[in-house]
Amino acid sequence: MRTLYDVQQLLKRFDVFVYVGKRMWDIELMALEIDNLYQAKVIDRDLFLQAKLILNREHRYEEKMAKEGKKAKNNG
């Protein structure tokens, strides 16, 4: 598992479909769902950690893009 798409496919295996409409919110909701699957002992620790690392990386990327977008908007 290496991408956000891979995390989505993992969630789909458990009939969890996430689409809120904003990528940042989708990532946050996926993180909550991954937490729930792990707490319910449906996924093992390694899979949980892989998914969380991917989601954290994507969340940081979205935050960076939002920050850069605000800078560009203020400079424009």
Side-chain angles (χ1 to χ4, degrees):
M1 188 163 45
R2 296 182 0 227
T3 66
L4 186 62
Y5 178 77
D6 295 332
V7 176
Q8 288 175 314
Q9 295 309 303
L10 171 65
L11 290 170
K12 281 184 183 180
R13 286 185 5 208
F14 300 100
D15 292 328
V16 177
F17 297 86
V18 174
Y19 180 77
V20 179
K22 186 173 179 181
R23 192 165 191 266
M24 178 78 83
W25 297 342
D26 289 345
I27 293 166
E28 291 170 358
L29 185 53
M30 282 186 237
L32 291 173
E33 293 295 343
I34 290 293
D35 291 343
N36 290 335
L37 289 173
Y38 180 66
Q39 288 171 1
K41 298 185 184 337
V42 177
I43 59 173
D44 66 13
R45 184 174 185 269
D46 290 338
L47 199 53
F48 169 73
L49 291 175
Q50 279 183 313
K52 291 295 277 192
L53 285 172
I54 292 165
L55 292 168
N56 287 338
R57 179 188 68 213
E58 294 296 324
H59 196 273
R60 282 192 310 272
Y61 175 79
E62 287 299 315
E63 286 179 329
K64 179 182 171 188
M65 290 293 104
K67 184 184 253 186
E68 288 177 7
K70 284 183 182 179
K71 284 183 185 177
K73 195 174 188 180
N74 290 337
N75 292 335

